[in-house]
Amino acid sequence: MKLLLIFLASCAVLPSSFSAPVMLYVSESGEKRIAIYQVDERTGELTRTGAADLPGAPGSLSISPDRKHLYASVRSAKQFATLDVDTKTGALSNPTFADAGFNAAYVFADKTGRWLLAASYSEGVVGLSAIKDGRVNGLPVVTLETGKKAHCIQVDPANKFAFVPHVGELNKVEQLRFDAEAGTLTRNEPPHLPGGVGEGPRHMQFHPNGRWAYFVNEQGRSVTLCDYDAEKGTLKARQSVPTVPEDWRDKGSCADIHLSADGRFVYASNRGHDSLAVFSVNPQTGALTALGQTPTEKTPRSFCLVPGDHFVVSAGEGSHKLIVFRRNAETGALTALKTYDCGKGPAWVMSVKF
């Protein structure tokens, strides 16, 4: 009995390396590779553990629902890459490639793990590619024209509808029906939600309660709250709040957006102002209150909340550096901890807990 108690006590203080890892994947587009970092859950420290080389510049990343495969848009090659993920170490291996037929600015694995949705900024189309045995297989089974500068595609919490924000002149969010059984994408009615004057919705995230969606507006330098009708698959804009101070309202552009897992805070990145905007969320109405901005590295195109929401990692596309922030769960405030050199042009960061 005494030996058993000693063994159990020793297990309680084993180092974190014995537990499932928390990883960070970085698309180093200028190096044509995906960098791999392990995240210390206690300190936020990043340790680079490897990289996966690709035939072209990687951009958007997505992880399969079972965490066993990582998908990347190889933008310069107009391909989708599938890589095996070692869930014990976070390592990537055995890359395979499928033709996309377009340069995908965004990829998103659906909730069944059977489909990869993608949006093309330059070609103005969205695509639906089949995933078989974890791997993207063949050309897209659906290619649907939605207009130039489609910048993102995501499904709703029920996996029944898809939404495609468009920046620039079209300034809209396309509303689509998604059938995961049949493998189809079709236009919903109405077919799109118009953006506010000069806004240009770029990326989006649903609130955990499924009733609200938030868009970051590239040209508008703002975040928009939408009410979501889950039965009809339609959005209705209700509030837009600036992401930058008044003297920056005509400079720079927004890029990325994320919500805390508890739904209490929204974060958005400002390029030019080089900051992350922080907003609190009213739990009854979803309304946003601006809480200010936190400086980042140059050109924060992509950032992510590390699972557990204690840390945020922002990639400085213009400085080729990563910066880690500690996050206060009660106030939403971010405190810079440390910067790290990385490869050229970090275009995407994604953190995964295994």
Side-chain angles (χ1 to χ4, degrees):
M1 184 58 145
K2 184 177 181 180
L3 289 174
L4 177 60
L5 291 174
I6 293 173
F7 173 75
L8 292 175
S10 67
C11 288
V13 295
L14 284 175
S16 60
S17 59
F18 283 83
S19 62
V22 175
M23 307 303 297
L24 181 78
Y25 298 100
V26 182
S27 288
E28 296 178 335
S29 61
E31 312 287 350
K32 297 182 180 180
R33 69 189 179 203
I34 300 172
I36 307 167
Y37 294 83
Q38 184 160 357
V39 185
D40 189 307
E41 292 185 84
R42 298 164 298 177
T43 66
E45 185 80 17
L46 302 182
T47 301
R48 189 165 177 135
T49 60
D53 294 326
L54 297 172
S60 175
L61 306 176
S62 187
I63 194 79
S64 63
D66 63 6
R67 303 290 196 268
K68 293 181 178 179
H69 295 92
L70 182 143
Y71 307 107
S73 169
V74 187
R75 301 195 63 177
S76 58
K78 296 187 177 182
Q79 294 179 325
F80 299 130
T82 302
L83 298 103
D84 290 339
V85 182
D86 186 324
T87 58
K88 294 181 180 179
T89 67
L92 302 177
S93 63
N94 192 25
T96 58
F97 304 93
D99 288 335
F102 51 79
N103 176 341
Y106 202 100
V107 294
F108 186 87
D110 90 305
K111 299 179 188 304
T112 69
R114 295 173 51 202
W115 304 101
L116 187 73
L117 297 91
S120 171
Y121 178 92
S122 53
E123 284 93 339
V125 300
V126 296
L128 184 66
S129 295
I131 297 174
K132 296 182 180 179
D133 299 322
R135 297 188 172 278
V136 181
N137 188 281
L139 283 165
V141 299
V142 175
T143 301
L144 186 66
E145 184 175 344
T146 61
K148 295 289 186 179
K149 301 183 180 179
H151 220 300
C152 166
I153 185 166
Q154 284 202 12
V155 300
D156 73 329
N159 211 50
K160 292 181 179 180
F161 298 93
F163 301 89
V164 188
H166 291 66
V167 303
E169 299 79 10
L170 289 181
N171 186 28
K172 66 174 183 176
V173 179
E174 200 77 1
Q175 301 183 138
L176 304 172
R177 293 182 176 274
F178 170 52
D179 188 328
E181 286 300 315
T184 59
L185 278 174
T186 55
R187 301 186 194 281
N188 200 359
E189 183 58 42
H192 64 264
L193 166 76
V197 177
E199 286 191 332
R202 175 185 166 105
H203 283 183
M204 68 174 293
Q205 297 291 340
F206 277 93
H207 190 275
N209 68 14
R211 292 161 37 211
W212 309 316
Y214 297 88
F215 292 84
V216 65
N217 300 304
E218 182 174 293
Q219 287 78 44
R221 306 164 195 88
S222 60
V223 171
T224 295
L225 158 66
C226 291
D227 292 313
Y228 180 55
D229 186 325
E231 183 177 342
K232 296 179 180 178
T234 55
L235 298 159
K236 184 178 181 180
R238 178 154 51 94
Q239 179 196 30
S240 287
V241 183
T243 61
V244 291
E246 187 61 35
D247 60 351
W248 267 86
R249 292 294 290 135
D250 60 350
K251 295 179 285 187
S253 62
C254 284
D256 203 3
I257 185 168
H258 291 283
L259 276 74
S260 58
D262 60 12
R264 295 177 57 200
F265 298 95
V266 171
Y267 300 86
S269 60
N270 292 307
R271 298 177 294 186
H273 192 259
D274 295 340
S275 66
L276 295 182
V278 185
F279 303 87
S280 63
V281 176
N282 183 303
Q284 279 75 47
T285 68
L288 299 168
T289 299
L291 300 179
Q293 299 82 26
T294 300
T296 63
E297 282 294 315
K298 186 178 180 181
T299 322
R301 177 174 178 169
S302 177
F303 72 97
C304 67
L305 275 71
V306 175
D309 282 7
H310 300 301
F311 304 101
V312 171
V313 181
S314 175
E317 188 178 34
S319 66
H320 319 302
K321 293 179 184 291
L322 306 174
I323 181 168
V324 179
F325 300 92
R326 185 178 294 279
R327 177 180 173 273
N328 186 312
E330 292 304 313
T331 67
L334 303 177
T335 303
L337 295 179
K338 188 174 180 179
T339 60
Y340 299 81
D341 292 327
C342 66
K344 294 179 181 178
W348 200 271
V349 290
M350 179 180 70
S351 187
V352 181
K353 181 177 176 63
F354 294 100

